[in-house]
Coordinates of all heavy atoms in Angstrom, one line a residue:
Chain A
A21 N -128.7 -91.4 6.0 CA -129.2 -90.5 7.0 C -128.1 -89.7 7.7 O -128.4 -88.6 8.1 CB -129.9 -91.4 8.1
P27 N -113.5 -98.7 8.0 CA -114.1 -99.5 9.0 C -114.2 -98.7 10.3 O -113.7 -97.6 10.4 CB -113.0 -100.6 9.2 CG -111.7 -99.9 8.8 CD -112.0 -98.9 7.7
C42 N -115.1 -92.7 3.8 CA -116.2 -91.8 4.3 C -117.3 -91.6 3.3 O -117.0 -91.2 2.1 CB -115.6 -90.4 4.7 SG -116.8 -89.2 5.2
L58 N -104.7 -88.4 21.3 CA -104.6 -88.1 22.7 C -103.7 -86.8 22.9 O -103.9 -85.9 23.6 CB -104.1 -89.2 23.5 CG -105.1 -90.3 23.8 CD1 -104.5 -91.5 24.6 CD2 -106.2 -89.7 24.7
L65 N -107.3 -82.0 8.8 CA -106.4 -82.6 7.8 C -106.6 -82.0 6.4 O -105.7 -81.5 5.8 CB -106.6 -84.1 7.8 CG -106.3 -84.9 9.0 CD1 -106.6 -86.4 8.8 CD2 -104.9 -84.7 9.5
A86 N -105.6 -88.1 0.1 CA -107.1 -88.3 0.1 C -107.7 -88.0 -1.2 O -107.1 -87.1 -2.0 CB -107.8 -87.4 1.2
S92 N -118.9 -87.5 -3.9 CA -119.5 -88.2 -2.8 C -118.5 -88.9 -1.9 O -117.8 -88.2 -1.1 CB -120.5 -89.3 -3.3 OG -121.2 -90.0 -2.3
V93 N -118.2 -90.2 -2.1 CA -117.4 -90.9 -1.2 C -116.0 -90.4 -1.2 O -115.4 -90.0 -2.3 CB -117.4 -92.4 -1.6 CG1 -116.4 -93.2 -0.8 CG2 -118.8 -93.0 -1.3
Q99 N -100.0 -94.2 3.8 CA -98.9 -95.2 3.3 C -97.9 -95.4 4.4 O -97.6 -94.5 5.2 CB -98.3 -94.7 2.0 CG -99.3 -94.6 0.9 CD -98.6 -94.0 -0.4 OE1 -97.9 -93.0 -0.3 NE2 -98.8 -94.7 -1.5
E104 N -97.2 -93.3 15.3 CA -97.7 -92.0 15.6 C -99.0 -91.7 14.8 O -99.7 -90.7 15.0 CB -96.7 -90.9 15.4 CG -96.2 -90.7 14.0 CD -94.8 -91.4 13.8 OE1 -94.6 -92.4 14.6 OE2 -94.1 -91.0 13.0
Y109 N -109.8 -91.1 13.2 CA -110.0 -90.3 12.0 C -111.5 -90.0 11.8 O -112.2 -90.9 11.6 CB -109.3 -90.9 10.8 CG -107.8 -91.0 10.9 CD1 -107.2 -92.0 11.7 CD2 -107.0 -90.0 10.4 CE1 -105.8 -92.0 11.9 CE2 -105.7 -90.0 10.5 CZ -105.1 -91.0 11.3 OH -103.7 -91.0 11.5
H124 N -121.4 -82.0 10.1 CA -122.1 -83.3 10.5 C -121.0 -84.4 10.5 O -120.5 -84.7 9.4 CB -123.2 -83.6 9.6 CG -124.3 -82.6 9.6 ND1 -125.4 -82.6 10.3 CD2 -124.3 -81.4 8.8 CE1 -126.1 -81.5 10.1 NE2 -125.5 -80.8 9.2

Side-chain angles (χ1 to χ4, degrees):
Chain A
C42 173
L58 282 176
L65 296 179
S92 182
V93 173
Q99 296 178 311
E104 61 262 28
Y109 290 82
H124 301 265

